Amino acid sequence: MTSLLQQIIPGQQVTGPEFPDYDVLQGCIRCGRCLPVCPTYQETTLETMSPRGRLALLRAVEDGKLDLTSSIADYLYHCLDCRACNTVCPPGVPIGELILDGRAAYAVKAGRPWWARIALDRFLTSARAMEPVMRMARLYQRLGLPRVVRPVLRALKGRHPAFHTLFHMEGLLPRLPSQPLHARLAEVTPAQGERRYRVGFFLGCMMSQVLADVSQATVRVLTRNGCEVVTPPGQVCCGAPHDDQGNKRMARDLARRNIDLFARYQDLDVIVADCAACAGMIKEYPHLLRDDPVYYPRALAMARRMRDVSEWLAEVLDDAVPLAEVRCTVTYHEPCHLANAQGVREPPVRVLRRIPGLELRPLPDSTRCCGSAGIYNLTHPEMADRLLEDKVRKIAGTGADTVVTGNPGCLLQIQMGVREHGIPVRVRHLTQLLDEAYARAESSRAR
């Protein structure tokens, strides 16, 4: 029987571990400016699927009018965490962060699903911890099984949500490297020519295991521009997937480990990541650790040194290093956690414009989420498909032959989308195009 002290008394404020700050929740003035930029509201026109509606639900919980049930958690988890709402909120309410706090409060109250405890807490804690799973994925590809499995999953995906999720998981995998990058990248990669900067490299788990060729290109581009690249061994996940899925405890633990690791390298000019989600998460470490008097100042120090690679390259690209022509038409998809969470919009475009021969074409709604959103495309595949279809249609409408973006989730999601829709567009990270331009120049000089 519920005791009197455990009962919710209408009119009395309810609180608990990880509950969103009530005073901050009160900052929402219900103006509705967030509605037109929220992809899930645009797709459903339901108030409860909007940023304003989700905050209203959380406020009703803390007002004691509603219990924090699985139904409310469903609305919170339907949020993409794209942070588009944050960019238009007149009083500056951190809507995305409050929704993540609400997920964490529900996880404390009701527990987390078994798959999250295995996939996120056991394997997605570092690139090294992912290795057993990735070894099986590499074997799966070497045996040629995708040719058999893919058509079967395509035929079955409408029959059960589990098949739809498996269809996405299989389709997102690119051709995997034979060895992850963290296992072969030296701790220190010297600058080519005179050393101008000493740069720390945060090598994300997915970048090392799945998109090693992208991060290898990033290191080459940095070294060509006078950067000595330091990749500290022992890096762990940035914590973004755990924060997104309600596990604040593990997100904070991972953050503290990365802070301690990079604090040993005090002579770094900056820390750079070529994964927008990782850079965005590390910049949010002060918010994540705001109640920790020991680590909060350390988190601030790390966040101040953190740069997305596009920010850093826009600042330090060396005009003396020749770039050859790359004749292609490019459109640029802005990752949510670069444009909305970090406010980095102009630097990638400035860098693209430095590449000779490249024609840049604007992408309509370039900041609208592609549907990747961490693991959203696996937990909510139907909504993710709708957003991806819209993104692919707009990419095709530009007539570009290349789409550039700066986040692994977006790269994999858009690659799957253009492949499934039969659109002849290549998908590249910004550093891959730069690397191509430098390599062509070097090759032409060598002839």
Side-chain angles (χ1 to χ4, degrees):
M1 176 183 291
T2 305
S3 74
L4 183 62
L5 289 176
Q6 291 173 310
Q7 291 175 13
I8 295 172
I9 302 171
Q12 184 182 58
Q13 186 183 333
V14 175
T15 189
E18 309 293 358
F19 267 52
D21 187 301
Y22 186 75
D23 291 335
V24 182
L25 272 178
Q26 293 282 55
C28 175
I29 57 175
R30 302 188 58 75
C31 63
R33 287 279 297 275
C34 55
L35 302 185
V37 301
C38 175
T40 56
Y41 179 77
Q42 291 172 342
E43 292 292 328
T44 64
T45 65
L46 294 173
E47 178 73 10
T48 46
M49 294 285 270
S50 75
R52 182 177 69 181
R54 293 181 178 110
L55 293 195
L57 288 172
L58 288 170
R59 195 159 56 189
V61 167
E62 298 198 21
D63 282 338
K65 297 173 181 173
L66 293 175
D67 195 7
L68 186 53
T69 61
S70 60
S71 298
I72 289 179
D74 281 346
Y75 290 122
L76 300 180
Y77 275 96
H78 265 95
C79 170
L80 294 145
D81 191 32
C82 70
R83 308 287 176 92
C85 48
N86 286 23
T87 66
V88 297
C89 180
V93 176
I95 304 169
E97 291 89 330
L98 290 170
I99 291 171
L100 294 191
D101 288 346
R103 292 180 185 177
Y106 180 74
V108 171
K109 176 176 184 272
R112 299 167 57 245
W114 64 267
W115 59 263
R117 295 197 302 274
I118 294 174
L120 302 183
D121 303 358
R122 169 68 183 83
F123 293 109
L124 197 51
T125 55
S126 70
R128 186 183 298 274
M130 288 173 65
E131 183 56 24
V133 175
M134 299 312 298
R135 198 177 296 131
M136 288 191 288
R138 289 194 288 271
L139 179 62
Y140 165 78
Q141 291 189 340
R142 275 202 293 271
L143 294 175
L145 293 176
R147 286 196 300 273
V148 178
V149 173
R150 186 80 182 148
V152 172
L153 290 175
R154 184 179 289 109
L156 294 176
K157 70 174 185 175
R159 299 192 181 183
H160 192 278
F163 289 127
H164 203 161
T165 296
L166 288 172
F167 177 73
H168 269 248
M169 289 176 70
E170 204 285 331
L172 289 167
L173 270 186
R175 188 69 191 169
L176 294 170
S178 58
Q179 194 179 21
L181 188 56
H182 72 269
R184 50 194 163 94
L185 185 62
E187 180 177 356
V188 178
T189 308
Q192 296 183 29
E194 182 187 355
R195 189 184 96 175
R196 298 163 61 204
Y197 308 99
R198 185 167 160 83
V199 173
F201 186 42
F202 188 86
L203 177 60
C205 310
M206 294 297 288
M207 299 307 293
S208 175
Q209 285 283 7
V210 178
L211 295 167
D213 54 339
V214 173
S215 286
Q216 189 75 71
T218 299
V219 172
R220 285 194 295 266
V221 167
L222 289 169
T223 57
R224 286 176 178 120
N225 283 279
C227 299
E228 180 180 76
V229 179
V230 181
T231 312
Q235 297 181 35
V236 294
C237 174
C238 65
H242 312 84
D243 190 41
D244 182 69
Q245 293 296 310
N247 191 351
K248 292 277 186 190
R249 182 193 58 76
M250 179 159 278
R252 292 185 186 111
D253 178 57
L254 294 168
R256 291 185 184 105
R257 292 167 66 182
N258 282 323
I259 289 168
D260 286 341
L261 178 65
F262 277 90
R264 296 177 204 155
Y265 299 82
Q266 286 298 318
D267 59 343
L268 300 175
D269 293 296
V270 290
I271 302 167
V272 164
D274 57 3
C275 165
C278 295
M281 184 66 201
I282 291 170
K283 289 179 180 179
E284 290 186 10
Y285 278 178
H287 176 77
L288 184 69
L289 296 167
R290 60 193 180 280
D291 296 325
D292 184 331
V294 174
Y295 274 89
Y296 175 72
R298 299 179 189 178
L300 265 181
M302 184 170 183
R304 285 173 179 151
R305 292 201 294 171
M306 193 69 219
R307 301 282 190 283
D308 181 80
V309 70
S310 63
E311 285 181 282
W312 181 241
L313 289 174
E315 194 176 324
V316 305
L317 272 188
D318 187 351
D319 290 333
V321 185
L323 286 158
E325 282 192 347
V326 178
R327 291 202 169 276
C328 58
T329 51
V330 170
T331 194
Y332 173 57
H333 163 70
E334 300 187 68
C336 305
H337 280 254
L338 186 61
N340 300 332
Q342 300 183 59
V344 176
R345 301 196 63 191
E346 285 300 318
V349 176
R350 288 210 307 272
V351 172
L352 283 171
R353 286 182 173 146
R354 298 279 291 273
I355 300 176
L358 184 149
E359 180 189 347
L360 192 59
R361 297 184 178 175
L363 177 64
D365 288 335
S366 59
T367 60
R368 191 175 197 246
C369 181
C370 62
S372 171
I375 60 169
Y376 190 93
N377 48 6
L378 302 180
T379 57
H380 300 79
E382 288 186 10
M383 178 65 78
D385 277 351
R386 289 158 69 173
L387 299 176
L388 178 59
E389 188 172 340
D390 175 70
K391 181 63 67 178
V392 169
R393 182 176 53 78
K394 287 170 179 166
I395 289 170
T398 67
D401 57 35
T402 305
V403 57
V404 169
T405 189
N407 191 57
C410 305
L411 279 164
L412 299 176
Q413 175 84 343
I414 295 173
Q415 275 178 353
M416 181 178 72
V418 296
R419 188 173 61 244
E420 286 297 311
H421 288 80
I423 297 172
V425 174
R426 62 176 187 161
V427 187
R428 291 288 184 273
H429 193 285
L430 174 68
T431 58
Q432 287 180 296
L433 270 190
L434 270 176
D435 186 48
E436 185 179 337
Y438 284 127
R440 286 186 182 191
E442 290 160 2
S443 174
S444 117
R445 277 205 315 276
R447 283 200 294 268

